[in-house]
């Protein structure tokens, strides 16, 4: 437990940076929301835009800053004599705790924003589309996948240098932007092909069994990413 607590203390930069970035985007989103609403005389509802902006910042920090921080911590820990076998699981557990704490902070911000909207705009309908996403099972899933990816990203950077960061960034953007476009391309131009039928069937099965599918996917991704990350760093030389 002492080793885990020390790793948690080492991650104060993650807490500070993540919290400040989330809070900054949260305030910016609320100011933008109020500016738009107060300038519209026909508005019938309000949105939790601040929470949405904070969630985007949380996701970006989770998936990328954690990996960079992991490289620095790994190098110094091993250089100071800590074994990779002991350091890696403790740092992984500490990162998971960090993301869970920031996730709870995100939930608190969302509750406060909804309360603010009720007080400032009584009578208007509040659309809090972030509330379902911030439930405990989803926060845990985000934390597990984010931690696992952070370890994999850090291991990749430690092994292959900064080029690995940009490769992962390109992959991330291709999936986020190109994935939906590829699906629409298949359904629009190859609606009768076997590939399109297979993709559509997989999506239908995922929707029909959403909870089980999501749980299996999260567990699989967490195990695979974390396992690959450990295999990459267990004999990696440090660069201090």
């Amino acid at each position: 437990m002492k080793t885990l607590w020390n790793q948690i203390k080492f991650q104060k930069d993650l807490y500070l940076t993540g919290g400040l970035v989330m809070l900054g985007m949260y305030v910016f989103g609320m100011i933008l929301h109020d500016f738009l609403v107060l300038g519209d005389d026909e508005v019938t509802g309000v949105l939790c835009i601040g929470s949405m902006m904070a969630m985007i910042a949380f996701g970006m920090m989770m998936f990328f800053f954690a990996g960079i921080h992991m490289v620095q911590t790994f190098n110094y820990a091993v250089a100071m004599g800590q074994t990779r076998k002991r350091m890696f699981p403790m740092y992984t557990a500490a990162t998971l705790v960090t993301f869970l704490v920031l996730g709870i902070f995100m939930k608190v911000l969302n509750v406060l924003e909804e309360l603010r909207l009720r007080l400032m705009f009584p009578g208007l309908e509040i659309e809090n589309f972030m509330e379902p996403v911030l439930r405990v099972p989803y926060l845990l899933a985000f934390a597990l996948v984010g931690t696992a990816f952070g370890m994999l990203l850090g291991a990749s950077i430690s092994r292959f240098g900064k080029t690995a960061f940009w490769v992962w960034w390109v992959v991330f953007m291709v999936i986020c932007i190109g994935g939906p476009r590829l699906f629409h391309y298949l359904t629009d131009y190859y609606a009768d092909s076997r590939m399109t039928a297979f993709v559509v069937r997989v999506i239908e099965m995922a929707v029909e069994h959403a909870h089980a599918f999501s749980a299996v996917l999260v567990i699989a991704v967490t195990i695979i990413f974390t396992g690959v990350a450990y295999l990459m760093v267990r004999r990696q030389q440090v660069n201090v």
Side-chain angles (χ1 to χ4, degrees), residues 4-216:
L4 176 60
W5 176 244
N6 288 334
Q7 288 293 342
I8 292 175
K9 290 193 296 184
F10 286 150
Q11 297 200 5
K12 61 182 179 181
D13 292 340
L14 279 176
Y15 284 99
L16 182 61
T17 303
L20 289 177
V21 172
M22 289 166 60
L23 189 59
M25 295 298 291
Y26 177 72
V27 173
F28 172 76
M30 290 193 297
I31 294 175
L32 177 63
H33 171 271
D34 291 353
F35 177 79
L36 296 175
V37 170
L38 294 176
D40 187 355
D41 296 331
E42 300 180 358
V43 65
T44 59
V46 290
L47 306 173
C48 292
I49 295 181
S51 299
M52 181 189 71
M53 300 291 285
M55 189 66 183
I56 293 174
F58 177 46
M60 296 302 292
M61 189 280 302
M62 173 188 291
F63 282 99
F64 290 101
F65 186 69
I68 297 173
H69 188 272
M70 181 264 190
V71 175
Q72 299 172 344
T73 304
F74 169 80
N75 286 336
Y76 283 108
V78 175
M80 295 298 293
Q82 194 172 39
T83 64
R84 296 166 177 80
K85 187 176 181 179
R86 182 176 180 83
M87 178 269 176
F88 186 83
M90 289 297 101
Y91 184 81
T92 302
T95 303
L96 179 61
V97 171
T98 299
F99 286 145
L100 288 174
V101 170
L102 291 176
I104 294 173
F105 179 56
M106 180 72 249
K107 177 67 175 179
V108 172
L109 291 179
N110 181 248
V111 172
L112 291 177
E113 183 175 23
E114 183 173 350
L115 177 61
R116 185 190 75 90
L117 292 175
R118 292 189 185 281
L119 294 175
M120 289 188 63
F121 304 99
L124 294 181
E125 181 182 356
I126 299 176
E127 185 173 348
N128 188 0
F129 45 82
M130 295 303 301
E131 191 276 332
V133 180
L134 294 174
R135 293 172 182 170
V136 174
Y138 294 106
L139 286 176
L140 179 59
F142 291 150
L144 286 171
V145 174
T147 299
F149 181 77
M151 298 303 98
L152 181 59
L153 176 61
S156 301
I157 296 174
S158 181
R159 184 72 175 271
F160 303 107
K162 294 181 180 179
T163 303
F165 175 86
W166 296 111
V167 170
W168 277 112
W169 174 260
V170 171
V171 171
F172 181 78
M173 297 305 296
V174 168
I175 293 175
C176 292
I177 299 176
R181 292 186 178 181
L182 177 60
F183 177 75
H184 287 301
Y185 178 80
L186 288 175
T187 54
D188 289 342
Y189 297 98
Y190 297 94
D192 298 327
S193 69
R194 292 183 179 181
M195 176 61 71
T196 303
F198 174 76
V199 172
V200 171
R201 181 52 184 160
V202 170
I203 294 175
E204 289 176 347
M205 291 178 62
V207 173
E208 291 174 2
H209 308 282
H211 294 292
F213 181 83
S214 300
V216 171

